[in-house]
Amino acid sequence: MAIIRIRDIELSEREVNGITEYAWEAVRVYKIPVECYGEHITNMYLIIDGEITLIDAALNTEQAMTDLLTGMATINREFGIRVGIADINHVVITHGHADHWGMLSNDKFRGKKVYVHEFDTMFMKDFGSMRVNSRGRINSLIEEAGWNLSMDNLFSLDGIVSEPQGCELIELKEGQRIINGYEVYHVPGHSPGHICLKVGPVLFLGDLILSKTTPLQIPGSMLEGCGLRLYLNSLRRVGGLDRHLGLPAHEATIYSVSDRVVEMEAFHYKRLLDIIGVCAQEKSLFQITDEYYQLRPETLNGRTVADLSRDEQILALEEIKAHIEYLIDDDHMTITGVENGVVMYRAK
Ligand SMILES: [Zn+2]
């Protein structure tokens, strides 16, 4: 068992069979990592403090549900807290991406109170039409990038994700206090209605701050409420808060949120500078993306864009486009023209 000091509060941290308990005063938080697909793990957290609250609800896959039930059995057996899905009073969703709420379509969650920021409820209430719109936006992105990619079976979530039925959706706003006084911070950028939730000395980070990787950037032109500038502002805001223990929705616990924010900001500034370097001559988004990752293969675990799956290639285009929009906004880059629908860029 480890003791962590956050301001004047002492938390204990104890891990058994992959489940980690954080305890202070009468509050218990359990981290339950569940596998959504492949190697994609979402951390679900249970808060027990008179009320029982779940933070994020992964995907509704058999493996994810098995991992959640096994985790709850461990909490019962090893930590002596009798809790099952039926006992959960509240579910707080950090943002509208399906690997954070997909499990709500499982009957076990019927009738639950679900809290999500007002700008992200569309992902859950209108998943079908959001998918159609995003398909259209991805198609234009590929065309203007000057790339020829197939649009078949895009992000094959069909059959895994459906809109939650029979949950009571409660829309959140910045600064609101919910449940036992938990505080909502609206931190847009990765998604329009992304939130962090402060519970005493702990900050649930969602995808805003991860311990190892940086979350995908979606260009603001593709979805209002996204974009690198909003994201970096959100990052700095959370980095400037008092010290908290950071509990992210993927990867490992963050013991110094402000240090991790400094690293993540530096990562994006370096990427911005690299992109300026790549764009000394006029180039398309495809060329910029391809050349950037050739320059920094370490950011793709040593791979190049050609090695990626089609879905990953689309995400790479979105990531680089989000950085280009930031540079254009700051007058470091310009659109030099459009040739057969392909947009050309150059650094200024
Ligand atoms: Zn996520």
Side-chain angles (χ1 to χ4, degrees):
M1 182 158 69
I3 299 291
I4 306 160
R5 260 203 161 273
I6 303 284
R7 304 186 298 269
D8 54 350
I9 301 172
E10 268 190 6
L11 292 91
S12 67
E13 179 188 57
R14 185 157 70 101
E15 195 235 296
V16 183
N17 296 344
I19 304 301
T20 310
E21 178 193 70
Y22 296 95
W24 72 95
E25 296 157 9
V27 186
R28 300 287 175 273
V29 171
Y30 295 94
K31 175 184 181 181
I32 312 171
V34 311
E35 185 185 315
C36 288
Y37 50 82
E39 306 212 316
H40 189 71
I41 310 285
T42 295
N43 298 324
M44 295 170 70
Y45 294 95
L46 261 186
I47 309 170
I48 299 176
D49 62 351
E51 297 296 310
I52 300 183
T53 304
L54 182 72
I55 309 286
D56 282 339
L59 275 182
N60 191 28
T61 58
E62 231 167 88
Q63 188 59 52
M65 182 53 82
T66 303
D67 290 348
L68 174 62
L69 294 175
T70 309
M72 284 181 148
T74 301
I75 294 167
N76 280 279
R77 197 179 55 242
E78 304 292 340
F79 298 98
I81 304 273
R82 300 213 67 78
V83 62
I85 296 178
D87 305 312
I88 295 170
N89 311 113
H90 316 273
V91 183
V92 179
I93 304 298
T94 58
H95 63 293
H97 297 164
D99 58 328
H100 298 261
W101 60 262
M103 202 180 264
L104 296 177
S105 60
N106 192 297
D107 262 351
K108 291 185 166 69
F109 285 91
R110 199 164 261 279
K112 299 287 185 205
K113 279 189 182 139
V114 176
Y115 302 73
V116 58
H117 189 274
E118 55 181 343
F119 296 164
D120 271 18
T121 50
M122 59 191 178
F123 290 103
M124 294 158 74
K125 290 200 280 203
D126 263 329
F127 185 69
S129 46
M130 288 295 289
R131 292 243 312 145
V132 173
N133 293 344
S134 103
R135 208 185 145 79
R137 287 190 293 261
I138 290 171
N139 204 7
S140 329
L141 178 76
I142 292 172
E143 277 175 20
E144 65 146 82
W147 210 354
N148 197 2
L149 282 177
S150 137
M151 289 284 289
D152 296 339
N153 299 318
L154 219 47
F155 300 105
S156 45
L157 287 170
D158 295 326
I160 303 180
V161 182
S162 55
E163 290 153 16
Q165 302 294 325
C167 294
E168 183 193 340
L169 275 192
I170 298 160
E171 301 200 345
L172 300 177
K173 283 186 166 52
E174 159 65 23
Q176 201 174 334
R177 284 180 180 265
I178 56 171
I179 312 171
N180 275 340
Y182 310 159
E183 203 176 335
V184 174
Y185 291 88
H186 178 215
V187 286
H190 179 63
S191 84
H194 195 297
I195 63 158
C196 289
L197 192 71
K198 175 181 158 57
V199 177
V202 165
L203 197 61
F204 293 93
L205 298 168
D207 284 1
L208 179 73
I209 302 170
L210 303 174
S211 65
K212 236 178 86 195
T213 61
T214 53
L216 172 74
Q217 298 302 318
I218 298 158
S221 64
M222 289 182 78
L223 189 58
E224 199 188 331
C226 291
L228 184 61
R229 191 168 307 272
L230 273 177
Y231 174 77
L232 289 176
N233 286 342
S234 294
L235 202 58
R236 279 192 285 265
R237 180 181 175 208
V238 170
L241 297 176
D242 278 352
R243 189 161 173 241
H244 288 86
L245 182 72
L247 297 181
H250 310 283
E251 304 174 3
T253 296
I254 297 169
Y255 298 95
S256 172
V257 173
S258 55
D259 286 352
R260 183 59 188 142
V261 164
V262 169
E263 283 173 15
M264 292 177 82
E265 263 193 273
F267 174 88
H268 285 292
Y269 289 130
K270 184 157 179 276
R271 180 164 278 177
L272 288 165
L273 286 173
D274 282 341
I275 291 172
I276 292 177
V278 162
C279 291
Q281 292 96 36
E282 177 181 78
K283 277 170 194 159
S284 68
L285 174 60
F286 168 72
Q287 289 171 316
I288 299 166
T289 305
D290 190 35
E291 289 180 30
Y292 169 77
Y293 286 108
Q294 284 189 36
L295 185 69
R296 300 286 172 214
E298 66 276 15
T299 61
L300 292 178
N301 291 325
R303 297 177 296 174
T304 65
V305 168
D307 299 329
L308 301 177
S309 71
R310 192 274 325 266
D311 288 356
E312 290 171 323
Q313 289 174 333
I314 293 170
L315 299 181
L317 284 181
E318 291 183 359
E319 175 78 24
I320 298 304
K321 174 96 189 282
H323 286 74
I324 290 175
E325 285 181 357
Y326 184 101
L327 290 167
I328 290 177
D329 223 37
D330 273 358
D331 222 17
H332 293 304
M333 228 167 137
T334 186
I335 294 180
T336 50
V338 181
E339 296 164 18
N340 302 321
V342 179
V343 182
M344 302 303 287
Y345 302 92
R346 196 180 55 224
K348 273 193 171 175

